[in-house]
Amino acid sequence: GIAPKAVSESYDLFQRLGEYGVLARGVLHIGAHQGQEILEYDRAGVRRVAFVEANPDLATGLRQRFKDRSDVTVIETAITDRPGTVDFHITSMDQSSSVLPLHKHLDLYPKIRHERTIQVCATTIDSLFDQRVLDPGEFNVLSIDIQGAEFIALSGGLRSLGHFDAIISEVNYDELYK
């Protein structure tokens, strides 16, 4: 794996992946927010991107932003360890919204507050491929940043994880979410 490194403006993740022999053909990006990584993906020559976003308002914005890009797919769902519906906790700063409620996050970022909880559809990584929503041959990098729920999502992808040459994940070292 790739050792943790402080991210700076000059840090090129895809160059670093290349040092490990990984050439990103397609990225499954779970926790897309506004899809701001698309510039980095385009610069790296990524041919296919699937942005997955649970927040309905953000998913609508993503669909609008990428409506003219056939290489980008937007999927509105939460990724968890089982299909169904889940509570999604919307916060005052939408990047902090999660299927998990805030915990120590409240102490570290007191200006970011819980605003409301909504029900959203949920599925698994395995289901995205099993149900042919996505072609597993097109995606060899998984990027996942879903505010403390990464392990839950990965647990729902045990059969599919072998499709990926690299997994990029945010890691919290404290219980920011319950």
Side-chain angles (χ1 to χ4, degrees), residues 5 8 16-17 24 31 38 60 62 73 84 123 135 142-143 148-149 163:
K5 178 181 174 99
S8 69
R16 185 82 169 134
L17 288 176
I38 194 67
T60 297
L62 286 165
T73 301
T123 193
D135 178 352
L142 171 63
S143 177
H163 294 295

Side-chain angles (χ1 to χ4, degrees), residues 4 15 17 31 35 41 49 59 71 83 100 106 110 121 131 139-140 149 156 161:
Q15 179 181 341
L17 288 176
Y41 297 159
V49 176
D71 60 327
L100 301 174
L106 294 166
C121 292
Q131 295 174 8
F139 298 91
N140 69 321
L161 293 180

Side-chain angles (χ1 to χ4, degrees), residues 8 12 37 41 76 103 105 117 128 165:
S8 69
D12 184 339
E37 293 82 1
Y41 297 159
E76 181 181 332
H103 186 49
H105 195 288
T117 301
L128 291 176
D165 297 325

Side-chain angles (χ1 to χ4, degrees), residues 113-133:
R113 308 300 300 170
H114 177 267
E115 289 191 339
R116 68 189 192 284
T117 301
I118 62 173
Q119 288 277 302
V120 298
C121 292
T123 193
T124 65
I125 295 170
D126 284 341
S127 291
L128 291 176
F129 294 124
D130 292 348
Q131 295 174 8
R132 306 302 289 172
V133 174

Side-chain angles (χ1 to χ4, degrees), residues 17-169:
L17 288 176
E19 293 171 13
Y20 287 88
V22 175
L23 175 62
R25 296 183 314 276
V27 176
L28 171 57
H29 187 117
I30 300 171
H33 191 243
Q34 296 174 343
Q36 51 270 53
E37 293 82 1
I38 194 67
L39 297 175
E40 183 179 359
Y41 297 159
D42 287 346
R43 236 184 351 264
V46 174
R47 293 190 306 261
R48 287 282 290 125
V49 176
F51 282 125
V52 180
E53 178 55 52
N55 183 322
D57 295 334
L58 292 175
T60 297
L62 286 165
R63 282 191 295 275
Q64 180 62 30
R65 179 176 180 191
F66 297 113
K67 69 179 189 283
D68 296 327
R69 293 215 29 190
S70 62
D71 60 327
V72 176
T73 301
V74 176
I75 301 167
E76 181 181 332
T77 189
I79 300 294
T80 63
D81 56 352
R82 61 186 168 277
T85 58
V86 294
D87 286 343
F88 190 72
H89 306 278
I90 306 284
T91 61
S92 56
M93 183 179 149
D94 53 20
Q95 281 182 298
S96 296
S97 300
S98 177
V99 297
L100 301 174
L102 297 173
H103 186 49
K104 291 183 181 178
H105 195 288
L106 294 166
D107 299 327
L108 293 170
Y109 307 101
K111 291 183 178 181
I112 299 173
R113 308 300 300 170
H114 177 267
E115 289 191 339
R116 68 189 192 284
T117 301
I118 62 173
Q119 288 277 302
V120 298
C121 292
T123 193
T124 65
I125 295 170
D126 284 341
S127 291
L128 291 176
F129 294 124
D130 292 348
Q131 295 174 8
R132 306 302 289 172
V133 174
L134 298 175
D135 178 352
E138 293 185 317
F139 298 91
N140 69 321
V141 173
L142 171 63
S143 177
I144 183 168
D145 182 357
I146 52 175
Q147 304 313 107
E150 290 81 5
F151 180 76
I152 295 168
L154 292 171
S155 296
L158 297 179
R159 290 188 320 277
S160 302
L161 293 180
H163 294 295
F164 300 106
D165 297 325
I167 298 173
I168 303 160
S169 178

